[in-house]
Amino acid sequence: MSMYAYVAGTTNDDINDKGSIACQIDFLKQTNVDYDAYYVDTFTGVSRARFQLQKLLMIVKPGDMIDVMDVSNMMSNIRELSCLLYYLDDLQITIYSDNVELDVGSIRDQFTIAMMCRAEKLTMMQQELNRKKMCHLKRQIDLRRNKDNKREITQNDYQIYKLLMSSNYKTAQRKTGLSRSTLYRLKKRIQKRK
């Protein structure tokens, strides 16, 4: 029977940061266990590859033990972790975590259910957020459509339009005091009505 230690995390040297390699190695050293080997996966940037874990899984034999600070460090998402736990259960590998021996078969179902509930909750929250965004966008579109249609064309608008059609924009701007873009919108709105 062999005892292995697995660590995965950032290169942050802060011992108080549970996601750092330094914190996890310190935790494993406090257990006073003489490990056959340490396997360390370092996360850099967006890369979360676990090559050392793959090496470890190639050498473990039935009855071996793997010590980790947190079981969730072994994989980046619930599906991969659930598959890994099933695989380790088939190999009869024991995982130690937080100074407690964890029988993979007993924790697998509880952990999977808890993580799936969390994932389901996050999915529902994201769907609700997306629904609210769509409602907001539809409302904005409706407001813009109604804004364009609701504005009544007054007699004064027709007079400005006639002035604009009989002269150029500069002359109409000087006489009315309106900007070129306002005159253009007025012209388009009246032309749509005709």
Side-chain angles (χ1 to χ4, degrees):
M1 178 180 78
S2 300
M3 184 76 170
Y4 300 102
Y6 178 70
V7 176
T10 62
T11 56
N12 181 1
D13 291 333
D14 184 9
I15 294 200
N16 296 322
D17 179 12
K18 289 190 177 183
S20 72
I21 290 174
C23 175
Q24 293 178 51
I25 289 177
D26 182 57
F27 168 79
L28 293 173
K29 285 183 179 176
Q30 289 176 9
T31 60
N32 294 322
V33 176
D34 186 26
Y35 297 106
D36 293 311
Y38 281 86
Y39 288 85
V40 180
D41 278 320
T42 304
F43 300 150
T44 55
V46 295
S47 175
R48 298 270 186 224
R50 289 172 170 80
F51 298 117
Q52 295 301 316
L53 178 61
Q54 297 305 319
K55 285 183 185 178
L56 174 60
L57 293 176
M58 284 192 264
I59 64 165
V60 289
K61 296 182 267 329
D64 288 350
M65 293 179 227
I66 301 173
D67 197 355
V68 294
M69 182 173 168
D70 184 5
V71 177
S72 62
N73 282 350
M74 297 182 82
M75 285 295 163
S76 58
N77 66 48
I78 184 62
R79 279 185 304 210
E80 291 175 359
L81 183 58
S82 183
C83 290
L84 176 66
L85 292 176
Y86 275 104
Y87 176 71
L88 292 175
D89 189 30
D90 291 341
L91 287 178
Q92 299 172 347
I93 306 295
T94 304
I95 297 175
Y96 281 91
S97 179
D98 291 331
N99 294 327
V100 177
E101 181 180 347
L102 299 173
D103 178 21
V104 174
S106 67
I107 65 153
R108 179 188 57 222
D109 295 331
Q110 296 170 1
F111 185 78
T112 302
I113 290 168
M115 292 303 285
M116 288 176 79
C117 289
R118 182 171 178 245
E120 182 68 25
K121 183 178 178 183
L122 290 174
T123 302
M124 288 172 55
M125 289 169 61
Q126 185 63 44
Q127 288 174 344
E128 181 65 18
L129 181 66
N130 290 344
R131 187 189 65 76
K132 285 181 180 178
K133 281 183 182 177
M134 286 302 293
C135 288
H136 177 72
L137 289 173
K138 285 180 182 178
R139 186 169 178 263
Q140 292 295 322
I141 290 170
D142 289 344
L143 285 175
R144 287 184 184 220
R145 284 182 183 159
N146 291 339
K147 183 180 175 184
D148 291 341
N149 294 336
K150 280 188 176 179
R151 175 118 194 257
E152 293 295 321
I153 299 174
T154 63
Q155 192 63 30
N156 189 29
D157 291 340
Y158 282 114
Q159 290 173 354
I160 294 171
Y161 177 74
K162 285 180 186 175
L163 174 67
L164 184 60
M165 297 315 293
S166 64
S167 62
N168 59 15
Y169 278 103
K170 282 187 181 185
T171 308
Q173 278 180 286
R174 263 183 296 157
K175 290 185 177 180
T176 61
L178 298 174
S179 68
R180 184 180 178 105
S181 60
T182 303
L183 292 170
Y184 179 77
R185 285 195 304 271
L186 177 70
K187 175 182 166 186
K188 288 295 180 186
R189 198 166 52 247
I190 291 173
Q191 287 175 345
K192 273 186 185 177
R193 292 279 173 99
K194 288 185 175 184

